[in-house]
Amino acid sequence: MVKTIQGSLDAKNVRFAIVISRFNTFIGDRLLAGALDALERHGAPMDETTVAWVPGSFEIPPVARKLALSKKFDAVICLGTLIRGETPHFDHLSSTVTKALGNIGLEADIPVINGILTCNTMEQAVDRAGLKTGNKGFDAAVTAIEMAQVFRQL
Ligand code: INI
């Protein structure tokens, strides 16, 4: 008999931390609203959900690490918006932050979800923050719920 591991989308009794950057806050506010909406609608205990604000996406990994290692949360959701400019800054930030989040999840042994947009234009970011392409904050929270439930079965 094959044993199948599959995470439900039930967020009851699951504790989440969200780390969000203030940079491009017009987008970030909408990603955060989407993430909180997803958590609440899937039954997460909102009084046990923590939101930590940081200045920019570069500051997300150290705070995500502290929260992930604290043992107070079942998953950490990272939200931010990186938009390409005229210099290579965007490329350095996006690859550094993405790698760091992957490493933090492995080190802390809990799901760390990457909901940081990496867009070429502000229009692409707006589309992903509640317009054409949905809300990536909502999607990141649903991924966090599923992964927290997968971890509970391992
Ligand atoms: N931070 C972002 O979150 N998004 C960006 O698009 C961005 N750009 O373009 O520069 C950005 N820069 C700030 C960076 O994350 C740090 O806060 C800063 O370098 C101080 O460490």
Side-chain angles (χ1 to χ4, degrees):
M1 184 77 165
V2 173
K3 178 179 178 183
T4 301
I5 292 172
Q6 193 163 230
S8 75
L9 295 183
D10 180 3
K12 209 168 50 236
N13 303 320
V14 189
R15 300 158 308 160
F16 296 92
I18 298 175
V19 189
I20 175 153
S21 84
R22 290 186 199 285
F23 209 102
N24 295 313
T25 194
F26 174 84
I27 304 292
D29 285 346
R30 283 154 182 80
L31 296 177
L32 178 61
L36 292 173
D37 183 37
L39 294 183
E40 187 160 26
R41 284 162 62 184
H42 288 86
M46 300 314 282
D47 53 356
E48 291 185 60
T49 300
T50 293
V51 176
W53 287 89
V54 297
S57 293
F58 187 71
E59 285 72 41
I60 291 175
V63 174
R65 182 174 178 276
K66 285 261 185 215
L67 293 166
L69 290 170
S70 72
K71 310 268 182 222
K72 293 182 187 158
F73 303 102
D74 298 293
V76 178
I77 302 163
C78 300
L79 302 176
T81 313
L82 286 159
I83 299 182
R84 191 182 287 283
E86 287 169 7
T87 69
H89 194 50
F90 167 92
D91 300 292
H92 297 307
L93 277 180
S94 47
S95 83
T96 303
V97 170
T98 302
K99 278 184 207 143
L101 294 185
N103 289 336
I104 291 161
L106 296 178
E107 180 195 357
D109 206 17
I110 67 166
V112 172
I113 307 304
N114 183 0
I116 302 176
L117 300 181
T118 52
C119 299
N120 289 321
T121 64
M122 180 58 83
E123 189 187 356
Q124 287 178 346
V126 170
D127 283 347
R128 286 158 180 75
L131 279 183
K132 276 191 215 155
T133 1
N135 185 312
K136 298 298 174 192
F138 188 101
D139 296 348
V142 172
T143 301
I145 297 165
E146 180 172 348
M147 284 301 291
Q149 293 293 1
V150 168
F151 268 53
R152 284 195 173 172
Q153 292 178 47
L154 299 175

